[in-house]
Every structure is written in C-alpha cells, then in structure tokens.
Amino acid sequence: MARFIHLTDERLLARLKKSGIRTTFWGREKIRCVYATPVLQDFQVSHQWLRELKNRGIRTIGALQFKIPDEEEVLVGRYSEEPLSVTAAQAVKIFREHATGLGLQVLIRRRIVPKEISRSYVPTQIVGWRYHPDAHGKPPFCGCAYCQRGLIKNRKIREKYEAQNQTA
C-alpha cells in the first residue's frame, strides 16, 4: 500500500477524516482529482506544498495521511506541466529518485474514503517555498498587481515592479 499526504485547512481535518477527501478540478480538461504527495523520509518534500497553500490565505495547514493500493493508477508530474499516468507505487519511486522532488505532485482520480485515511495531524508550518521551488534569492516571475494579489508581503514587490516599468 502506497502512503500519501493531502494538505488542507486545519479546521477541516475532523470533518475530512470522518467523511473522506473529495476531489477537486484540475487542469484545462477539468479532471476531478485529489492532490497529494507521498510519505517520504524527507519531511520537506512530503510537505512541500504547505507554504504555497498558506499564500492562498489558509492560516494553519493540516495534513491527512492515507493509503491506496500500489496498483492504482495515478497522475504524477510537476505543477503546471502535463502529468504522467503511472501506478501509485511508481509515483512514490519517481519522488524518491527525482533530484529534489520539489514541485512534483500526485493526482489521484477518485475520492479518498474514510477507511483509507490513517492519520490526521498539524505539521510544522514553516516548510516549502514562496513562489516556486529554488526561488530563494530570485525575484518573482511577475510583480504586477494581478499576479501578486492576495500574497504575503506583496506591496514591496508591486512597488519595485511598478518603479522598474515606469523607467522603461
């Protein structure tokens, strides 16, 4: 059985553990899936999406661990790229063999039922990246008001972006 972690709002943990994890829409094709990462020895890789979710306004992130059969077909790939269709066991292997594992995600094309959920907890809240993996020391892709809306400390980024574009 392959073990995965799904990150969500901490306030929803009790309800999701009782009722299961619903699917959400993904991609242009609007595929219904559950986002997850495998349980690995590297805590940062397993919980890498935590900071990205916090940028969306969730204060405290909770985690649900669940098991699915090794033979079940899932999608794995980097965020915003076309994923590969592999088995759950192969997805875990891809994460382990990847150079860093950062930016990868697993998409499970069905809901997770309560009996598959083995654990719920609140992980350390200071892991992950701010804009994208390896972003430390690099400016964000775009500093416009639209791309920076709702992000933490966006005022300074927008002001710097606007100053650079006024002189150009």
Side-chain angles (χ1 to χ4, degrees):
M1 299 285 271
R3 295 183 318 148
F4 292 92
I5 297 171
H6 175 76
L7 299 175
T8 188
D9 191 331
E10 181 260 341
R11 296 173 292 185
L12 302 175
L13 285 180
R15 187 175 74 185
L16 291 176
K17 191 166 183 178
K18 192 183 213 180
S19 64
I21 307 169
R22 295 184 319 187
T23 58
T24 56
F25 289 109
W26 175 82
R28 285 185 221 111
E29 299 84 28
K30 299 294 183 192
I31 298 170
R32 292 191 69 85
C33 60
V34 171
Y35 295 90
T37 54
V39 176
L40 301 171
Q41 287 184 336
D42 188 343
F43 182 86
Q44 183 175 352
V45 174
S46 292
H47 297 81
Q48 63 182 305
W49 293 100
L50 193 141
R51 188 160 179 186
E52 182 69 22
L53 292 173
K54 285 183 79 85
N55 279 344
R56 303 238 165 103
I58 301 172
R59 287 190 169 193
T60 306
I61 302 292
L64 291 163
Q65 280 189 14
F66 59 92
K67 297 177 184 179
I68 61 172
D70 287 341
E71 308 79 35
E72 185 169 334
E73 194 170 307
V74 300
L75 300 172
V76 65
R78 289 185 65 84
Y79 177 75
S80 77
E81 292 181 8
E82 196 62 32
L84 298 170
S85 182
V86 296
T87 65
Q90 289 171 327
V92 173
K93 184 178 179 187
I94 288 170
F95 265 80
R96 284 191 179 134
E97 292 177 351
H98 195 269
T100 64
L102 298 177
L104 293 178
Q105 64 184 353
V106 175
L107 306 168
I108 301 159
R109 294 190 250 185
R110 65 170 179 84
R111 86 185 270 275
I112 305 302
V113 296
K115 69 178 184 179
E116 293 175 314
I117 298 172
S118 57
R119 178 178 174 215
S120 69
Y121 61 99
V122 177
T124 303
Q125 301 292 301
I126 52 172
V127 295
W129 57 82
R130 182 148 179 209
Y131 302 108
H132 55 87
D134 304 321
H136 188 70
K138 298 177 189 170
F141 293 125
C142 182
C144 75
Y146 178 79
C147 293
Q148 293 298 315
R149 72 187 187 286
L151 296 180
I152 298 168
K153 299 180 182 177
N154 68 22
R155 182 179 52 83
K156 288 182 182 179
I157 295 168
R158 286 184 290 122
E159 287 172 355
K160 186 175 180 181
Y161 177 79
E162 289 165 6
Q164 288 174 345
N165 286 340
Q166 285 177 357
T167 59

